[in-house]
Amino acid sequence: MGAGHAHVLYRDTPSRVHRLAPEVKIAAMVLFTVAVVATPREAFWAFGGYALLVAVVAALARVGPRWLLLRATIEVPFVLFAVALPFLGAGPRTEFAGLSLSVDGLHGAWNIVAKGTLGVLASLLLAATTTTRDLIVGLDRLRCPQIVTQIATFMLRYLDVLVGEARRMRVARISRGDDPRFLWQLRGFAAGVGALFLRAFERGERVYLAMLSRGYTGRMPAVWQGAGAATAGQWVAAATVPLAAVAIAAVAVVLT
């Protein structure tokens, strides 16, 4: 986990958002997402307010709209599902461009697309401004269950190792004339996956026992927990966006 372990989504650009402690960014993102999800789908204006908040944070973090939109395409499968709802939904129907569409289906599609897009954008902003190491440290400072932080730590630490192991196994298999690219060759592929799992399990056991022998207790080292912890000012600054989202959601609930 040394050297920050920056992931592919992290953008190493100096900004106010980058300098915030990871725990305040995680808490702000979760509270913002909860406020978005709790908003009635009929309150269209509220989602415009959320989009404005996301745009402000993106500007402060120096994350461009093109970068965000390109990576937000991960939600395309859900958008395709949402497109089908107006045609498959029951209840009252309305006519548009010669098509008979379900009113409930239209609301459901809007609900999925709007809330899903805002959640994805918020997650992307968190990933763009926080390294992998800081994400785990932030979760640990927020007293996330130890089993979650342990699994995430090991996964991120040894993901590259497992990918390299899988690549070497594939090269060895192909060099012996086995190239399972067709349906009737899946048995060899399944055997390779099983062997990789056993190797990963055995290596994980050895590493975990070695860490226990060196005093590992299941939590991040104290030097990680103490260095760079959030100040009161950072909590106040980070709370502005989620509190604004909560206020929008509350007004939307009252007016709807």
Side-chain angles (χ1 to χ4, degrees), residues 153-244:
T153 302
F154 281 108
M155 180 189 71
L156 295 170
R157 175 63 181 84
Y158 291 101
L159 185 60
D160 292 338
V161 176
L162 292 179
V163 170
E165 188 76 21
R167 187 180 297 112
R168 289 191 294 270
M169 291 175 61
R170 181 178 180 273
V171 172
R173 190 174 64 244
I174 293 175
S175 67
R176 290 168 174 80
D178 181 26
D179 189 9
R181 293 181 296 177
F182 304 101
L183 185 61
W184 55 86
Q185 294 178 312
L186 287 180
R187 181 177 180 181
F189 176 77
V193 172
L196 180 62
F197 171 78
L198 291 177
R199 290 188 184 186
F201 182 81
E202 293 172 354
R203 178 174 294 183
E205 284 291 319
R206 293 196 300 271
V207 171
Y208 182 67
L209 292 176
M211 292 175 67
L212 289 179
S213 67
R214 290 166 173 79
Y216 180 66
T217 60
R219 301 208 73 88
M220 295 299 154
V223 64
W224 281 22
Q225 297 179 7
T231 63
Q234 289 183 332
W235 279 108
V236 172
T240 54
V241 171
L243 288 180

Side-chain angles (χ1 to χ4, degrees), residues 5-241:
H5 246 267
H7 48 78
V8 294
L9 294 177
Y10 179 72
R11 293 175 60 85
D12 190 10
T13 55
S15 73
R16 297 179 182 178
V17 181
H18 283 75
R19 289 192 292 269
L20 290 175
E23 60 267 29
V24 302
K25 290 186 280 188
I26 295 172
M29 190 273 291
V30 172
L31 186 56
F32 173 82
T33 304
V34 170
V36 171
V37 172
T39 304
R41 61 187 184 184
E42 295 83 5
F44 302 108
W45 63 270
F47 296 99
Y50 298 141
L52 180 60
L53 291 176
V54 170
V56 170
V57 174
L60 292 175
R62 297 184 180 179
V63 178
R66 184 173 180 272
W67 187 92
L68 280 175
L69 294 177
L70 284 177
R71 280 139 186 92
T73 53
I74 192 175
E75 66 167 341
V76 167
F78 301 98
V79 173
L80 294 177
F81 170 76
V83 169
L85 290 181
F87 300 96
L88 303 177
R93 308 189 73 83
T94 184
E95 295 289 334
F96 178 78
L99 299 174
S100 178
L101 305 176
S102 168
V103 175
D104 289 339
L106 287 171
H107 282 143
W110 159 254
N111 192 52
I112 293 174
V113 173
K115 294 181 179 180
T117 301
L118 289 168
V120 168
L121 294 177
S123 300
L124 286 172
L125 286 175
L126 175 64
T129 58
T130 314
T131 63
T132 302
R133 171 190 177 277
D134 287 343
L135 284 173
I136 297 177
V137 171
L139 290 173
D140 195 66
R141 290 175 181 167
L142 292 173
R143 296 301 172 184
C144 183
Q146 292 187 19
I147 187 64
V148 175
T149 55
Q150 287 185 49
I151 292 174
T153 302
F154 281 108
M155 180 189 71
L156 295 170
R157 175 63 181 84
Y158 291 101
L159 185 60
D160 292 338
V161 176
L162 292 179
V163 170
E165 188 76 21
R167 187 180 297 112
R168 289 191 294 270
M169 291 175 61
R170 181 178 180 273
V171 172
R173 190 174 64 244
I174 293 175
S175 67
R176 290 168 174 80
D178 181 26
D179 189 9
R181 293 181 296 177
F182 304 101
L183 185 61
W184 55 86
Q185 294 178 312
L186 287 180
R187 181 177 180 181
F189 176 77
V193 172
L196 180 62
F197 171 78
L198 291 177
R199 290 188 184 186
F201 182 81
E202 293 172 354
R203 178 174 294 183
E205 284 291 319
R206 293 196 300 271
V207 171
Y208 182 67
L209 292 176
M211 292 175 67
L212 289 179
S213 67
R214 290 166 173 79
Y216 180 66
T217 60
R219 301 208 73 88
M220 295 299 154
V223 64
W224 281 22
Q225 297 179 7
T231 63
Q234 289 183 332
W235 279 108
V236 172
T240 54
V241 171

